[in-house]
């Protein structure tokens, strides 16, 4: 689950105008670019960064939801949550593989994540405090991710586009599951309704921030759009999300925490209040409630697991050496 | 018979729930992404098996307890899982060796239970045996890799072997309720499974170049609800929602 305007790009390209024009012609003809095709260096780097951020988001996203696996309220919910978190890990795996087709290794990307250099979706730096947060994440965070990822199924880079098709199917299942958790809470006791409303209050604005900075402030949308990596602007996607989500909240009988939210008849969309961009940038720059804890958890898993990975390689080498000795003896 | 069967089924379900809980604690913290997928996947199978067993036990009992009432609504002394299932995870070597021991045992158990005189149990066994077989294979491969890997992995595996040794004997001890059910041809006599389990462990240990433990004193008590100190803390998490918000629908 990932949805954020790419942060920190702005690659320069040094290829000849003829090369760039030929590449653009392929993009304009809606041809898919495949791993061994010639491509501008900036295209490659932008994709590595975007797919890497996307993969990291899936992996870091396992932590806030994983926080509730051992405390899920019923066995059915526990099984569904385990399956969901496992799906997110699976998305991470496809995405790392997609990025690897561009000449970067999973190890390199992981090291960038745990050094704090690589970004991931800012939403995962918020804490999951109650069971309703698991519902709110499925409904809103996976919902926002779908808005962003459905257009990515038509992304010009083939491996990314194909990975997104499968990812989107699973995300849409997660979103329905999250909404169903909220529905049960909304139909439940006063304590359950209060839990659901509180979760919505805390997750709504961070969910809107997932689409990234407003269009005026986004540094690289234009090039990404020309290359058909990105098909809609951050604000366009955010608006689609608000328009889809308001009626869903109404059906739940919950109130979105935005007094400025109102239907705009003339424009045929919902107007919404000002997003706190200071908060957004604080979280992106590492000062969200849990940025340090999330990176530390990934670093700990990576470092604590080093001996396991080394042992697996050592064993494979021993096995190969024994086999070749046995073959030589025959 | 039904009362004994209910008790025996709850014990078996508890094994799966509690071990599944432990395994799920790894989610997001595994040594590699592949294991971040494999361990929750195994945990999911274990929770699924627990659900089938609790539901059947509740149905036979006829006292209105469903899978969740059984899974979340009892005090520690009423949980009847084997002690090995509740031990804290330790490192990856400890987790994988435990899972291998359990899966190897359960594969044999479910194979035998496919012949159960009870049709529902035979059906549960037929599904579970395939899952246990996969779990066994996955974990045995890790025992071999780590046992025959680096100096550090060899040391860690040897430690895991020593730490877990006292807890495998309980697989093969039947309490009175279980004996009644065994006599009825409903559940397999685990004592008869011991030689095959031992042979499986020895074969994997030989490939892993690990030394099997000798002269081990078997800890027991789980089937009587006498647990380790780790169990209460596990239940505090497992039961948190049901205790904080009783009698609600989720």
């Amino acid at each position: 689950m990932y949805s954020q305007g790419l942060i920190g790009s702005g690659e320069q390209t040094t290829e000849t105008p003829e090369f760039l024009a030929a590449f653009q012609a392929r993009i304009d003809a809606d041809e898919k670019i495949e791993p061994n095709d010639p491509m501008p260096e900036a295209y490659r780097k932008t994709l590595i960064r975007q797919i890497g951020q996307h993969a990291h988001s899936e992996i870091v996203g396992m932590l806030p939801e994983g926080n509730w696996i051992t405390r899920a309220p019923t066995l059915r919910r526990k099984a569904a949550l385990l399956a969901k978190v496992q799906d997110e890990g699976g998305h991470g795996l496809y995405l790392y593989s997609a990025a690897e087709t561009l000449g970067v290794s999973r190890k390199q990307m992981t090291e960038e994540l745990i050094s704090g250099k690589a970004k991931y979706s800012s939403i995962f730096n918020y804490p999951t405090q109650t069971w309703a947060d698991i519902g709110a994440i499925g409904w809103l965070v996976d919902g926002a991710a779908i808005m962003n990822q459905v257009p990515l199924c038509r992304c010009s880079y083939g491996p990314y586009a194909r990975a997104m098709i499968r990812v989107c199917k699973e995300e849409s299942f997660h979103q329905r599951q999250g909404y169903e958790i909220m529905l049960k809470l909304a139909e439940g006791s006063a304590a359950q309704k209060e839990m659901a409303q509180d979760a919505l209050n805390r997750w709504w604005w961070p969910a809107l921030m997932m689409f990234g900075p407003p269009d005026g402030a986004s540094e690289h949308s234009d090039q990404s759009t020309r290359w058909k990596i990105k098909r809609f602007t951050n604000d366009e996607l955010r608006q689609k999300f608000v328009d889809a989500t308001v009626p869903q909240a109404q059906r739940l009988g919950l109130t979105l925490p935005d007094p400025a939210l109102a239907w705009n008849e003339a424009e045929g969309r919902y107007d919404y209040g000002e997003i706190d961009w200071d908060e957004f940038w604080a979280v992106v720059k590492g000062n969200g409630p849990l940025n340090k804890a999330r990176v530390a958890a990934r670093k700990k898993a990576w470092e604590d697991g080093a001996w396991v990975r080394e042992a697996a390689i050592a064993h494979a080498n021993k096995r190969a050496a024994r086999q070749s000795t046995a073959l030589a003896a025959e | 018979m039904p009362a004994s069967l209910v008790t025996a089924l709850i014990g078996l379900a508890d094994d799966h729930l509690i071990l599944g809980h432990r395994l799920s604690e790894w989610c997001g913290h595994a040594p590699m992404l592949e294991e971040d997928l494999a361990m929750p996947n195994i945990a999911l199978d274990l929770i699924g098996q627990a659900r089938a067993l609790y539901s059947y036990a509740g149905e036979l009992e006829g006292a209105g307890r469903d899978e969740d009432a059984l899974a979340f609504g009892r005090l520690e002394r009423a949980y009847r899982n084997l002690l090995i299932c509740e031990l804290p995870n330790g490192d990856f070597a400890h987790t994988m060796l435990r899972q291998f021991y359990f899966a190897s045992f359960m594969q044999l158990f479910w194979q035998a239970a496919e012949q159960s005189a009870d049709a529902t149990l035979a059906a549960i066994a037929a599904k579970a045996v395939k899952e246990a077989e996969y779990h066994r294979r996955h974990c045995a491969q890790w025992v071999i890799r780590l046992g025959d890997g680096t100096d550090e992995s060899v040391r860690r595996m040897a430690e895991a072997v020593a730490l877990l040794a006292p807890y495998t004997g309980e697989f093969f001890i039947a309490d009175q309720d279980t004996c009644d059910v065994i006599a009825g041809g409903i559940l397999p006599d685990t004592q008869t499974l011991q030689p095959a389990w031992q042979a499986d462990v020895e074969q994997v240990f030989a490939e892993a170049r690990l030394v099997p433990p000798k002269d081990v004193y078997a800890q027991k008590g789980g089937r009587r609800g006498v647990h380790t100190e780790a169990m209460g803390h596990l239940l505090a998490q497992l039961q948190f929602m049901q205790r904080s918000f009783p009698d609600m629908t989720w």
Side-chain angles (χ1 to χ4, degrees):
Chain A
M1 59 169 90
Y2 165 73
S3 167
Q4 188 145 296
L6 183 65
I7 295 162
S9 181
E11 300 293 348
Q12 296 298 311
T13 254
T14 53
E15 289 82 3
T16 62
E18 293 74 23
F19 177 87
L20 291 172
F23 182 75
Q24 191 62 50
R26 289 194 63 196
I27 299 277
D28 293 343
D30 274 332
E31 283 180 41
K32 285 277 179 270
I33 308 302
E34 296 299 337
N36 294 325
D37 293 351
M39 63 183 85
E41 203 43 34
Y43 178 85
R44 179 189 303 277
K45 284 188 175 159
T46 300
L47 275 164
I48 287 176
R49 190 168 287 144
Q50 175 160 342
I51 300 171
Q53 282 182 16
H54 192 160
H56 297 326
S57 301
E58 301 284 357
I59 300 306
V60 176
M62 295 173 82
L63 298 171
E65 291 185 283
N67 185 37
W68 278 89
I69 291 172
T70 57
R71 292 180 290 169
T74 66
L75 293 181
R76 182 173 86 90
R77 293 293 185 201
K78 188 188 286 289
L81 182 57
L82 258 170
K84 177 182 194 256
V85 177
Q86 190 204 5
D87 282 349
E88 309 295 0
H91 299 171
L93 198 56
Y94 314 142
L95 287 161
Y96 282 129
S97 305
E100 281 180 317
T101 64
L102 291 158
V104 61
S105 71
R106 201 207 298 181
K107 184 165 178 284
Q108 253 172 292
M109 288 185 276
T110 303
E111 282 164 356
E112 286 187 3
L113 174 66
I114 63 177
S115 73
K117 192 180 156 210
K119 301 291 181 200
Y120 54 87
S121 191
S122 55
I123 194 93
F124 300 120
N125 294 310
Y126 291 86
T128 49
Q129 287 180 272
T130 72
W131 171 250
D133 291 16
I134 299 307
I137 288 183
W139 172 35
L140 300 174
V141 176
D142 289 85
I146 292 165
M147 286 295 168
N148 190 51
Q149 289 172 7
V150 166
L152 285 175
C153 297
R154 294 185 293 124
C155 164
S156 59
Y157 189 58
Y160 193 29
R162 288 188 290 271
M164 279 304 103
I165 292 171
R166 176 160 176 192
V167 167
C168 281
K169 281 185 191 149
E170 294 182 352
E171 298 292 20
S172 101
F173 182 68
H174 297 163
Q175 201 244 356
R176 284 201 297 275
Q177 219 169 50
Y179 190 74
E180 203 250 332
I181 290 177
M182 295 302 276
L183 197 59
K184 266 283 182 303
L185 295 174
E187 289 169 347
S189 67
Q192 286 172 303
K193 276 182 210 152
E194 191 187 324
M195 194 190 286
Q197 182 64 55
D198 171 60
L200 176 56
N201 293 349
R202 284 181 290 110
W203 290 94
W204 173 249
W205 291 107
L208 292 189
M209 291 176 201
M210 285 176 69
F211 294 95
D215 291 348
S218 185
E219 39 190 278
H220 35 67
S221 272
D222 293 352
Q223 184 59 72
S224 284
T225 306
R226 275 196 298 277
W227 278 335
K228 295 188 183 170
I229 295 172
K230 201 174 166 70
R231 299 253 177 186
F232 296 96
T233 70
N234 295 351
D235 284 335
E236 283 166 352
L237 290 168
R238 192 167 9 246
Q239 185 67 51
K240 273 175 190 265
F241 174 72
V242 170
D243 292 343
T245 310
V246 171
Q248 293 169 357
Q250 286 166 347
R251 257 198 306 277
L252 292 172
L254 297 176
T255 309
L256 291 166
D258 179 0
L261 192 79
W263 177 248
N264 182 328
E265 189 64 50
E267 301 285 343
R269 60 168 164 79
Y270 285 93
D271 291 333
Y272 54 92
E274 184 64 25
I275 292 171
D276 181 354
W277 293 112
D278 291 342
E279 176 179 326
F280 171 77
W281 287 113
V283 177
V284 167
K285 287 175 181 155
N287 295 314
L290 291 177
N291 292 57
K292 288 176 179 62
R294 297 292 187 230
V295 172
R298 290 312 309 161
K299 187 165 187 268
K300 185 173 186 321
W302 182 248
E303 288 173 356
D304 288 357
W307 70 271
V308 177
R309 300 189 302 274
E310 285 158 14
I313 293 168
H315 176 74
N317 291 341
K318 280 185 188 178
R319 192 161 257 224
R322 279 180 211 133
Q323 255 166 12
S324 61
T325 313
L327 279 177
E330 271 173 21
Chain B
M1 169 68 86
S4 301
L5 179 54
V6 169
T7 309
L9 287 175
I10 289 174
L12 198 54
D14 288 345
D15 292 343
H16 289 78
L17 173 64
I18 300 301
L19 187 56
H21 179 106
R22 281 295 184 218
L23 206 51
S24 74
E25 291 173 355
W26 273 101
C27 191
H29 307 281
M32 62 194 71
L33 190 44
E34 285 76 0
E35 286 305 306
D36 259 328
L37 302 183
M39 286 193 281
N41 202 19
I42 296 175
L44 197 53
D45 287 343
L46 297 179
I47 303 292
Q49 290 153 7
R51 292 180 70 186
L53 293 164
Y54 282 134
S55 295
Y56 187 40
E59 193 183 303
L60 287 175
E61 186 187 46
R65 290 201 287 181
D66 63 5
E67 59 174 31
D68 291 322
L70 288 167
F72 299 101
R74 288 173 292 148
L75 295 174
E76 178 176 331
R77 291 283 282 111
Y79 281 81
R80 297 168 36 80
N81 56 283
L82 300 168
L83 298 177
I84 195 170
C85 299
E86 73 198 44
L87 298 178
N89 284 333
D91 64 12
F92 187 71
H94 187 270
T95 297
M96 279 297 127
L97 181 62
R98 168 178 50 192
Q99 205 66 40
F100 165 65
Y101 282 156
F102 184 78
S104 169
F105 171 69
M106 285 313 304
Q107 186 182 345
L108 295 165
F109 183 94
W110 292 126
Q111 269 166 5
E114 282 188 276
Q115 314 306 319
S116 173
D118 182 303
T120 306
L121 252 169
I124 293 173
K127 178 168 186 287
V129 73
K130 295 190 195 99
E131 295 169 344
E133 191 188 336
Y134 158 74
H135 303 166
R136 186 217 153 271
R137 196 167 60 233
H138 183 80
C139 300
Q141 282 167 357
W142 272 116
V143 171
I144 293 165
R145 280 187 205 112
L146 299 177
D148 181 29
T150 59
D151 290 349
E152 180 173 7
S153 74
V154 171
R155 175 181 63 73
R156 285 173 182 267
M157 274 312 300
E159 275 173 22
V161 171
L163 284 168
L164 286 166
Y167 296 98
T168 58
E170 206 180 11
F171 286 141
F172 309 105
I173 300 167
D175 56 88
Q176 192 51 55
D177 288 311
T178 309
C179 286
D180 292 350
V181 178
I182 291 166
I186 295 187
L187 284 180
D189 179 355
T190 58
Q191 245 175 32
T192 64
L193 307 177
Q194 187 159 18
W197 182 82
Q198 201 69 47
D200 187 30
V201 170
E202 278 166 19
Q203 176 232 313
V204 169
F205 272 37
E207 206 179 328
R209 295 162 195 242
L210 283 167
V211 184
K214 282 204 183 78
D215 304 325
V216 177
Y217 182 86
Q219 294 294 334
K220 52 186 182 291
R223 289 280 186 249
R224 287 180 292 117
V226 179
H227 293 281
T228 66
E229 289 182 348
M231 185 66 174
H233 298 276
L234 185 155
L235 292 179
Q237 277 200 21
L238 178 76
Q239 299 183 340
F240 167 73
M241 288 296 291
Q242 294 282 346
R243 296 291 182 203
S244 305
F245 305 94
D247 304 321
M248 294 182 195
T249 307
W250 303 95

